[in-house]
Amino acid sequence: MTFTTPLLLSLKLSSVTMVLLFIVGIPLAYGLAFSRIRWKFLVESVVALPLVLPPTVLGFYVLLAVGGNSFIGQKYEAVFNKTLAFSFQGLILGSCLYSLPFAVQPFHTSFAGVDKKLLEASWSLGRSHLYTFFSVVLPLSRQGIITGCVLSFAHTLGEFGVVLMLGGNIPGITKVASIAIYDEVQSLNYGTANIYSAILLTFSFIILALVYFINRRFIRTL
């Protein structure tokens, strides 16, 4: 395993997680923003749960849910001939659950902030809900969508507890940068740990600065 392998694995995990959360988070956030279901607050609580739940607790329960003795784990192994736990695919599942609120909440806030009169005007012209979403809601919500995507990416990039519980420490498969830092510190290799940490710190700062820059430009154009 080369020095860059954990870093590239972290970037791959963060990118895949961000794309999946965009695909899943957009319809979920839209439903939370416009649905009038009475028990909607329960769904909102489940989505926000990773914000207050210790990552090790979340990782432990996901491990139980996808482990070799679970129904999901057995079915997955029967189809793909490999375990879901302690695999990169398992990390993707855990990362999506762990970073879900960081994507859904900005999406939801942006959707809820769209002027309802614009939606009603579109509907009154005979436009479908799907057309209205892509032509009205989505363009007006791009600031929140960008924020949600970047936050989910950055949050996944630095995750540790879920990765450790669900993926362990398998070089080239589940050993991401945060686990590599932990290993180097345990081995008293503070110099290498510092390099990994500095790279993640710099990268995280750059992407967050980029998000704030884009948001400020968006506000000025309004």
Side-chain angles (χ1 to χ4, degrees):
M1 185 187 73
T2 64
F3 175 82
T4 58
T5 301
L7 293 170
L8 294 176
L9 197 61
S10 288
L11 292 176
K12 180 181 178 181
L13 177 63
S14 299
S15 300
V16 173
T17 300
M18 179 185 69
V19 171
L20 291 177
L21 285 179
F22 174 81
I23 296 173
V24 174
I26 290 294
L28 178 58
Y30 182 85
L32 292 175
F34 297 105
S35 174
R36 296 181 180 179
I37 298 176
R38 183 177 180 182
W39 302 104
K40 184 173 65 174
F41 71 93
L42 293 177
V43 179
E44 293 174 331
S45 299
V46 172
V47 170
L49 193 59
L51 293 174
V52 297
L53 195 66
T56 49
V57 174
L58 177 62
F60 173 70
Y61 281 115
V62 175
L63 179 60
L64 291 182
V66 302
N69 295 324
S70 69
F71 175 80
I72 296 176
Q74 290 175 352
K75 291 298 181 182
Y76 185 89
E77 188 171 359
V79 174
F80 296 100
N81 198 29
K82 61 180 180 179
T83 61
L84 184 56
F86 304 105
S87 68
F88 184 75
Q89 290 74 21
L91 289 190
I92 293 174
L93 174 61
S95 299
C96 286
L97 295 174
Y98 181 54
S99 297
L100 183 65
F102 290 87
V104 173
Q105 289 192 348
F107 297 167
H108 173 255
T109 301
S110 293
F111 292 162
V114 175
D115 192 345
K116 301 300 187 296
K117 293 181 180 179
L118 297 176
L119 305 182
E120 293 171 356
S122 178
W123 296 333
S124 67
L125 293 174
R127 303 300 186 181
S128 66
H129 283 265
L130 187 62
Y131 179 90
T132 301
F133 173 74
F134 282 106
S135 300
V136 179
V137 178
L138 209 57
L140 293 177
S141 304
R142 60 184 182 271
Q143 181 183 10
I145 292 173
I146 293 173
T147 300
C149 288
V150 173
L151 286 180
S152 62
F153 181 93
H155 190 245
T156 303
L157 188 66
E159 70 177 87
F160 175 79
V162 173
V163 171
L164 187 62
M165 293 295 294
L166 190 57
N169 185 5
I170 306 175
I173 300 177
T174 63
K175 186 176 182 179
V176 295
S178 57
I179 301 297
I181 294 172
Y182 177 78
D183 278 354
E184 298 298 338
V185 171
Q186 289 291 96
S187 302
L188 301 180
N189 297 326
Y190 294 123
T192 306
N194 182 52
I195 295 174
Y196 277 125
S197 300
I199 292 174
L200 289 184
L201 175 63
T202 302
F203 192 77
S204 298
F205 174 78
I206 290 174
I207 59 178
L208 288 177
L210 182 62
V211 128
Y212 281 110
F213 174 75
I214 293 174
N215 284 343
R216 289 191 65 178
R217 286 181 63 88
F218 174 77
I219 292 173
R220 288 175 181 177
T221 60
L222 294 178

PDB file of all heavy atoms in Angstrom, residues 7 10-14 99 151-160 176-178 199-201 203-204 207:
ATOM      1  N   LEU A   7      -5.587   8.204   1.011  1.00  0.00           N
ATOM      2  CA  LEU A   7      -6.141   9.484   0.575  1.00  0.00           C
ATOM      3  C   LEU A   7      -7.065   9.306  -0.627  1.00  0.00           C
ATOM      4  O   LEU A   7      -8.169   9.864  -0.673  1.00  0.00           O
ATOM      5  CB  LEU A   7      -5.010  10.448   0.224  1.00  0.00           C
ATOM      6  CG  LEU A   7      -4.116  10.912   1.383  1.00  0.00           C
ATOM      7  CD1 LEU A   7      -2.907  11.660   0.843  1.00  0.00           C
ATOM      8  CD2 LEU A   7      -4.903  11.782   2.349  1.00  0.00           C
ATOM      9  N   SER A  10     -10.260   7.688   0.461  1.00  0.00           N
ATOM     10  CA  SER A  10     -11.147   8.652   1.121  1.00  0.00           C
ATOM     11  C   SER A  10     -11.874   9.516   0.099  1.00  0.00           C
ATOM     12  O   SER A  10     -13.071   9.778   0.229  1.00  0.00           O
ATOM     13  CB  SER A  10     -10.342   9.551   2.071  1.00  0.00           C
ATOM     14  OG  SER A  10      -9.919   8.850   3.206  1.00  0.00           O
ATOM     15  N   LEU A  11     -11.150   9.973  -0.915  1.00  0.00           N
ATOM     16  CA  LEU A  11     -11.765  10.784  -1.963  1.00  0.00           C
ATOM     17  C   LEU A  11     -12.807   9.988  -2.738  1.00  0.00           C
ATOM     18  O   LEU A  11     -13.878  10.511  -3.083  1.00  0.00           O
ATOM     19  CB  LEU A  11     -10.695  11.312  -2.914  1.00  0.00           C
ATOM     20  CG  LEU A  11      -9.723  12.342  -2.340  1.00  0.00           C
ATOM     21  CD1 LEU A  11      -8.660  12.696  -3.372  1.00  0.00           C
ATOM     22  CD2 LEU A  11     -10.460  13.599  -1.892  1.00  0.00           C
ATOM     23  N   LYS A  12     -12.504   8.725  -3.008  1.00  0.00           N
ATOM     24  CA  LYS A  12     -13.454   7.867  -3.717  1.00  0.00           C
ATOM     25  C   LYS A  12     -14.707   7.651  -2.886  1.00  0.00           C
ATOM     26  O   LYS A  12     -15.834   7.763  -3.392  1.00  0.00           O
ATOM     27  CB  LYS A  12     -12.791   6.527  -4.034  1.00  0.00           C
ATOM     28  CG  LYS A  12     -13.691   5.545  -4.763  1.00  0.00           C
ATOM     29  CD  LYS A  12     -12.969   4.227  -5.018  1.00  0.00           C
ATOM     30  CE  LYS A  12     -13.885   3.215  -5.698  1.00  0.00           C
ATOM     31  NZ  LYS A  12     -13.204   1.910  -5.923  1.00  0.00           N
ATOM     32  N   LEU A  13     -14.527   7.356  -1.599  1.00  0.00           N
ATOM     33  CA  LEU A  13     -15.662   7.137  -0.706  1.00  0.00           C
ATOM     34  C   LEU A  13     -16.517   8.390  -0.601  1.00  0.00           C
ATOM     35  O   LEU A  13     -17.755   8.323  -0.664  1.00  0.00           O
ATOM     36  CB  LEU A  13     -15.162   6.710   0.678  1.00  0.00           C
ATOM     37  CG  LEU A  13     -16.227   6.495   1.761  1.00  0.00           C
ATOM     38  CD1 LEU A  13     -17.164   5.368   1.369  1.00  0.00           C
ATOM     39  CD2 LEU A  13     -15.565   6.194   3.107  1.00  0.00           C
ATOM     40  N   SER A  14     -15.883   9.543  -0.445  1.00  0.00           N
ATOM     41  CA  SER A  14     -16.613  10.804  -0.313  1.00  0.00           C
ATOM     42  C   SER A  14     -17.374  11.138  -1.590  1.00  0.00           C
ATOM     43  O   SER A  14     -18.514  11.613  -1.539  1.00  0.00           O
ATOM     44  CB  SER A  14     -15.647  11.939   0.038  1.00  0.00           C
ATOM     45  OG  SER A  14     -15.004  11.697   1.269  1.00  0.00           O
ATOM     46  N   SER A  99     -23.790  10.632   6.794  1.00  0.00           N
ATOM     47  CA  SER A  99     -23.792  11.987   6.239  1.00  0.00           C
ATOM     48  C   SER A  99     -25.152  12.421   5.701  1.00  0.00           C
ATOM     49  O   SER A  99     -25.268  13.507   5.125  1.00  0.00           O
ATOM     50  CB  SER A  99     -22.754  12.082   5.109  1.00  0.00           C
ATOM     51  OG  SER A  99     -21.448  11.857   5.604  1.00  0.00           O
ATOM     52  N   LEU A 151     -21.099  19.676   1.844  1.00  0.00           N
ATOM     53  CA  LEU A 151     -21.047  19.286   3.249  1.00  0.00           C
ATOM     54  C   LEU A 151     -21.032  17.761   3.407  1.00  0.00           C
ATOM     55  O   LEU A 151     -20.302  17.231   4.254  1.00  0.00           O
ATOM     56  CB  LEU A 151     -22.238  19.871   4.007  1.00  0.00           C
ATOM     57  CG  LEU A 151     -22.198  21.368   4.293  1.00  0.00           C
ATOM     58  CD1 LEU A 151     -23.453  21.794   5.047  1.00  0.00           C
ATOM     59  CD2 LEU A 151     -20.951  21.743   5.093  1.00  0.00           C
ATOM     60  N   SER A 152     -21.809  17.060   2.609  1.00  0.00           N
ATOM     61  CA  SER A 152     -21.815  15.597   2.689  1.00  0.00           C
ATOM     62  C   SER A 152     -20.461  15.034   2.258  1.00  0.00           C
ATOM     63  O   SER A 152     -19.969  14.061   2.837  1.00  0.00           O
ATOM     64  CB  SER A 152     -22.934  15.014   1.835  1.00  0.00           C
ATOM     65  OG  SER A 152     -22.763  15.325   0.471  1.00  0.00           O
ATOM     66  N   PHE A 153     -19.856  15.643   1.262  1.00  0.00           N
ATOM     67  CA  PHE A 153     -18.527  15.221   0.817  1.00  0.00           C
ATOM     68  C   PHE A 153     -17.495  15.444   1.915  1.00  0.00           C
ATOM     69  O   PHE A 153     -16.725  14.543   2.258  1.00  0.00           O
ATOM     70  CB  PHE A 153     -18.132  15.991  -0.442  1.00  0.00           C
ATOM     71  CG  PHE A 153     -16.789  15.607  -1.000  1.00  0.00           C
ATOM     72  CD1 PHE A 153     -16.694  14.630  -1.978  1.00  0.00           C
ATOM     73  CD2 PHE A 153     -15.631  16.226  -0.560  1.00  0.00           C
ATOM     74  CE1 PHE A 153     -15.459  14.269  -2.501  1.00  0.00           C
ATOM     75  CE2 PHE A 153     -14.391  15.871  -1.072  1.00  0.00           C
ATOM     76  CZ  PHE A 153     -14.298  14.889  -2.048  1.00  0.00           C
ATOM     77  N   ALA A 154     -17.476  16.659   2.476  1.00  0.00           N
ATOM     78  CA  ALA A 154     -16.487  16.996   3.497  1.00  0.00           C
ATOM     79  C   ALA A 154     -16.687  16.177   4.767  1.00  0.00           C
ATOM     80  O   ALA A 154     -15.719  15.755   5.416  1.00  0.00           O
ATOM     81  CB  ALA A 154     -16.562  18.493   3.816  1.00  0.00           C
ATOM     82  N   HIS A 155     -17.942  15.953   5.133  1.00  0.00           N
ATOM     83  CA  HIS A 155     -18.229  15.191   6.341  1.00  0.00           C
ATOM     84  C   HIS A 155     -17.782  13.744   6.194  1.00  0.00           C
ATOM     85  O   HIS A 155     -17.219  13.158   7.125  1.00  0.00           O
ATOM     86  CB  HIS A 155     -19.728  15.248   6.635  1.00  0.00           C
ATOM     87  CG  HIS A 155     -20.109  14.711   7.968  1.00  0.00           C
ATOM     88  ND1 HIS A 155     -20.886  13.593   8.139  1.00  0.00           N
ATOM     89  CD2 HIS A 155     -19.801  15.128   9.223  1.00  0.00           C
ATOM     90  CE1 HIS A 155     -21.054  13.354   9.420  1.00  0.00           C
ATOM     91  NE2 HIS A 155     -20.405  14.268  10.099  1.00  0.00           N
ATOM     92  N   THR A 156     -17.999  13.165   5.026  1.00  0.00           N
ATOM     93  CA  THR A 156     -17.571  11.791   4.775  1.00  0.00           C
ATOM     94  C   THR A 156     -16.056  11.691   4.747  1.00  0.00           C
ATOM     95  O   THR A 156     -15.479  10.698   5.195  1.00  0.00           O
ATOM     96  CB  THR A 156     -18.145  11.286   3.440  1.00  0.00           C
ATOM     97  OG1 THR A 156     -19.563  11.395   3.465  1.00  0.00           O
ATOM     98  CG2 THR A 156     -17.766   9.842   3.195  1.00  0.00           C
ATOM     99  N   LEU A 157     -15.407  12.721   4.242  1.00  0.00           N
ATOM    100  CA  LEU A 157     -13.948  12.715   4.114  1.00  0.00           C
ATOM    101  C   LEU A 157     -13.258  12.533   5.458  1.00  0.00           C
ATOM    102  O   LEU A 157     -12.216  11.887   5.548  1.00  0.00           O
ATOM    103  CB  LEU A 157     -13.492  14.031   3.463  1.00  0.00           C
ATOM    104  CG  LEU A 157     -12.017  14.140   3.080  1.00  0.00           C
ATOM    105  CD1 LEU A 157     -11.687  13.151   1.973  1.00  0.00           C
ATOM    106  CD2 LEU A 157     -11.700  15.567   2.636  1.00  0.00           C
ATOM    107  N   GLY A 158     -13.850  13.079   6.519  1.00  0.00           N
ATOM    108  CA  GLY A 158     -13.204  13.009   7.822  1.00  0.00           C
ATOM    109  C   GLY A 158     -13.790  11.990   8.770  1.00  0.00           C
ATOM    110  O   GLY A 158     -13.405  11.951   9.942  1.00  0.00           O
ATOM    111  N   GLU A 159     -14.699  11.142   8.310  1.00  0.00           N
ATOM    112  CA  GLU A 159     -15.349  10.205   9.220  1.00  0.00           C
ATOM    113  C   GLU A 159     -14.370   9.144   9.722  1.00  0.00           C
ATOM    114  O   GLU A 159     -13.456   8.734   9.011  1.00  0.00           O
ATOM    115  CB  GLU A 159     -16.551   9.548   8.551  1.00  0.00           C
ATOM    116  CG  GLU A 159     -16.209   8.568   7.451  1.00  0.00           C
ATOM    117  CD  GLU A 159     -17.450   7.895   6.886  1.00  0.00           C
ATOM    118  OE1 GLU A 159     -18.043   8.474   5.959  1.00  0.00           O
ATOM    119  OE2 GLU A 159     -17.810   6.830   7.383  1.00  0.00           O
ATOM    120  N   PHE A 160     -14.583   8.711  10.954  1.00  0.00           N
ATOM    121  CA  PHE A 160     -13.665   7.750  11.573  1.00  0.00           C
ATOM    122  C   PHE A 160     -14.410   6.613  12.257  1.00  0.00           C
ATOM    123  O   PHE A 160     -14.183   5.443  11.971  1.00  0.00           O
ATOM    124  CB  PHE A 160     -12.772   8.469  12.596  1.00  0.00           C
ATOM    125  CG  PHE A 160     -11.876   7.542  13.359  1.00  0.00           C
ATOM    126  CD1 PHE A 160     -10.710   7.056  12.788  1.00  0.00           C
ATOM    127  CD2 PHE A 160     -12.188   7.167  14.668  1.00  0.00           C
ATOM    128  CE1 PHE A 160      -9.869   6.190  13.486  1.00  0.00           C
ATOM    129  CE2 PHE A 160     -11.366   6.311  15.373  1.00  0.00           C
ATOM    130  CZ  PHE A 160     -10.205   5.815  14.778  1.00  0.00           C
ATOM    131  N   VAL A 176      -9.101   4.145   5.058  1.00  0.00           N
ATOM    132  CA  VAL A 176      -9.151   5.505   4.530  1.00  0.00           C
ATOM    133  C   VAL A 176      -8.171   6.382   5.293  1.00  0.00           C
ATOM    134  O   VAL A 176      -7.482   5.924   6.211  1.00  0.00           O
ATOM    135  CB  VAL A 176     -10.588   6.071   4.622  1.00  0.00           C
ATOM    136  CG1 VAL A 176     -11.535   5.282   3.736  1.00  0.00           C
ATOM    137  CG2 VAL A 176     -11.080   6.054   6.068  1.00  0.00           C
ATOM    138  N   ALA A 177      -8.100   7.656   4.934  1.00  0.00           N
ATOM    139  CA  ALA A 177      -7.093   8.549   5.504  1.00  0.00           C
ATOM    140  C   ALA A 177      -7.232   8.719   7.015  1.00  0.00           C
ATOM    141  O   ALA A 177      -6.236   8.767   7.740  1.00  0.00           O
ATOM    142  CB  ALA A 177      -7.162   9.908   4.814  1.00  0.00           C
ATOM    143  N   SER A 178      -8.468   8.816   7.506  1.00  0.00           N
ATOM    144  CA  SER A 178      -8.660   8.995   8.950  1.00  0.00           C
ATOM    145  C   SER A 178      -8.164   7.784   9.735  1.00  0.00           C
ATOM    146  O   SER A 178      -7.589   7.933  10.819  1.00  0.00           O
ATOM    147  CB  SER A 178     -10.140   9.236   9.257  1.00  0.00           C
ATOM    148  OG  SER A 178     -10.938   8.163   8.776  1.00  0.00           O
ATOM    149  N   ILE A 199      -2.961  17.381   4.909  1.00  0.00           N
ATOM    150  CA  ILE A 199      -3.607  17.250   3.600  1.00  0.00           C
ATOM    151  C   ILE A 199      -5.127  17.313   3.742  1.00  0.00           C
ATOM    152  O   ILE A 199      -5.813  18.026   2.997  1.00  0.00           O
ATOM    153  CB  ILE A 199      -3.180  15.941   2.911  1.00  0.00           C
ATOM    154  CG1 ILE A 199      -1.703  15.999   2.532  1.00  0.00           C
ATOM    155  CG2 ILE A 199      -4.035  15.681   1.670  1.00  0.00           C
ATOM    156  CD1 ILE A 199      -1.161  14.696   1.990  1.00  0.00           C
ATOM    157  N   LEU A 200      -5.673  16.574   4.712  1.00  0.00           N
ATOM    158  CA  LEU A 200      -7.125  16.594   4.923  1.00  0.00           C
ATOM    159  C   LEU A 200      -7.591  17.968   5.381  1.00  0.00           C
ATOM    160  O   LEU A 200      -8.652  18.448   4.952  1.00  0.00           O
ATOM    161  CB  LEU A 200      -7.513  15.535   5.960  1.00  0.00           C
ATOM    162  CG  LEU A 200      -7.419  14.079   5.529  1.00  0.00           C
ATOM    163  CD1 LEU A 200      -7.926  13.167   6.646  1.00  0.00           C
ATOM    164  CD2 LEU A 200      -8.209  13.827   4.261  1.00  0.00           C
ATOM    165  N   LEU A 201      -6.816  18.612   6.262  1.00  0.00           N
ATOM    166  CA  LEU A 201      -7.170  19.949   6.739  1.00  0.00           C
ATOM    167  C   LEU A 201      -7.201  20.944   5.591  1.00  0.00           C
ATOM    168  O   LEU A 201      -8.157  21.720   5.444  1.00  0.00           O
ATOM    169  CB  LEU A 201      -6.169  20.398   7.808  1.00  0.00           C
ATOM    170  CG  LEU A 201      -6.330  21.831   8.330  1.00  0.00           C
ATOM    171  CD1 LEU A 201      -7.674  21.997   9.039  1.00  0.00           C
ATOM    172  CD2 LEU A 201      -5.184  22.177   9.280  1.00  0.00           C
ATOM    173  N   PHE A 203      -7.461  20.352   2.317  1.00  0.00           N
ATOM    174  CA  PHE A 203      -8.502  20.022   1.352  1.00  0.00           C
ATOM    175  C   PHE A 203      -9.875  20.413   1.878  1.00  0.00           C
ATOM    176  O   PHE A 203     -10.699  20.971   1.135  1.00  0.00           O
ATOM    177  CB  PHE A 203      -8.454  18.531   1.043  1.00  0.00           C
ATOM    178  CG  PHE A 203      -9.287  18.137  -0.136  1.00  0.00           C
ATOM    179  CD1 PHE A 203      -8.858  18.383  -1.425  1.00  0.00           C
ATOM    180  CD2 PHE A 203     -10.524  17.528   0.037  1.00  0.00           C
ATOM    181  CE1 PHE A 203      -9.628  18.031  -2.525  1.00  0.00           C
ATOM    182  CE2 PHE A 203     -11.295  17.164  -1.048  1.00  0.00           C
ATOM    183  CZ  PHE A 203     -10.854  17.425  -2.328  1.00  0.00           C
ATOM    184  N   SER A 204     -10.140  20.138   3.152  1.00  0.00           N
ATOM    185  CA  SER A 204     -11.430  20.489   3.743  1.00  0.00           C
ATOM    186  C   SER A 204     -11.639  22.001   3.750  1.00  0.00           C
ATOM    187  O   SER A 204     -12.739  22.495   3.454  1.00  0.00           O
ATOM    188  CB  SER A 204     -11.521  19.940   5.177  1.00  0.00           C
ATOM    189  OG  SER A 204     -11.440  18.539   5.188  1.00  0.00           O
ATOM    190  N   ILE A 207     -12.489  23.231   0.077  1.00  0.00           N
ATOM    191  CA  ILE A 207     -13.840  22.963  -0.417  1.00  0.00           C
ATOM    192  C   ILE A 207     -14.882  23.779   0.349  1.00  0.00           C
ATOM    193  O   ILE A 207     -15.886  24.218  -0.230  1.00  0.00           O
ATOM    194  CB  ILE A 207     -14.183  21.464  -0.377  1.00  0.00           C
ATOM    195  CG1 ILE A 207     -14.081  20.901   1.035  1.00  0.00           C
ATOM    196  CG2 ILE A 207     -13.305  20.684  -1.306  1.00  0.00           C
ATOM    197  CD1 ILE A 207     -14.456  19.419   1.118  1.00  0.00           C
TER     198      ILE A 207
END
